[in-house]
Amino acid sequence: MQQQKLVINYLRYDNREEIPLKYRELLKRAEGSLTFSYAPYSNFHVGAAVEMQNGEILTGSNQENAAYPMCLCAERTALAVAASLYPQIAPLAMAIVGAKKDLMISPCGACRQVIWETEHKHGQKIQLWVQGPHDSVYVFDSVGDLLPFGFKF
């Protein structure tokens, strides 16, 4: 038996003014997509924005349904839009925000796996910019930092 240690490196910005302009815009676009969130059951509104390799920024928001397993998270919605419009273009970065500013908004397990497979499909890491509590932002170089043992066939 060998004991192993897993270390996750990330950046934390305590306020938005510290963030490079390019990523402030990505976060702003994710916040703008909150308008289109449909969350009548959980009242947990989430928005996402994806920066593509071609410079486009695409957005998505969570979409709930009374048949709860049919719900779509903002991250998967944004990546579905990206795959539909630009199937051969790699996503480079994703911003994820929520309407509740006192919470950290981190991708769920299903979204982590979808982001992980998208990274492997394109051979390109996707930098994640996630809302932390009270205007902080956490930056991960790849979803692998949040899902270190993702799987593929």
Side-chain angles (χ1 to χ4, degrees):
M1 178 180 80
Q2 292 183 357
Q3 184 173 353
Q4 303 290 319
K5 184 176 185 176
L6 180 63
V7 176
I8 298 171
N9 293 307
Y10 59 91
L11 297 173
R12 188 182 90 199
Y13 292 92
D14 289 325
N15 63 64
R16 302 275 172 112
E17 289 76 37
E18 299 175 324
I19 297 172
L21 263 164
K22 171 182 174 176
Y23 297 107
R24 273 192 260 170
E25 178 61 27
L26 193 64
L27 288 158
K28 184 177 177 183
R29 294 285 297 274
E31 287 172 346
S33 71
L34 287 168
T35 304
F36 305 108
S37 170
Y38 179 69
Y41 307 103
S42 70
N43 200 33
F44 189 72
H45 300 270
V46 179
V50 178
E51 175 198 8
M52 303 298 290
Q53 201 166 34
N54 64 0
E56 291 285 329
I57 295 177
L58 306 170
T59 61
S61 59
N62 60 324
Q63 303 296 311
E64 292 184 351
N65 190 283
Y68 215 69
M70 306 269 300
C71 298
L72 291 171
C73 297
E75 300 92 313
R76 285 183 282 148
T77 302
L79 287 175
V81 169
S84 296
L85 294 177
Y86 302 107
Q88 303 305 319
I89 308 290
L92 300 178
M94 176 183 278
I96 307 158
V97 303
K100 296 180 179 180
K101 299 299 181 190
D102 58 334
L103 298 176
M104 181 163 187
I105 306 298
S106 180
C108 72
C111 287
R112 290 175 190 204
Q113 181 65 31
V114 169
I115 297 166
W116 193 88
E117 288 191 36
T118 302
E119 286 184 346
H120 287 271
K121 173 184 170 186
H122 291 286
Q124 171 70 49
K125 290 181 178 181
I126 301 171
Q127 190 177 55
L128 298 179
W129 292 74
V130 300
Q131 169 187 304
H134 312 295
D135 215 30
S136 63
V137 174
Y138 291 74
V139 184
F140 301 92
D141 288 333
S142 165
V143 74
D145 295 327
L146 299 175
L147 184 70
F149 300 107
F151 63 95
K152 68 176 180 174
F153 293 99

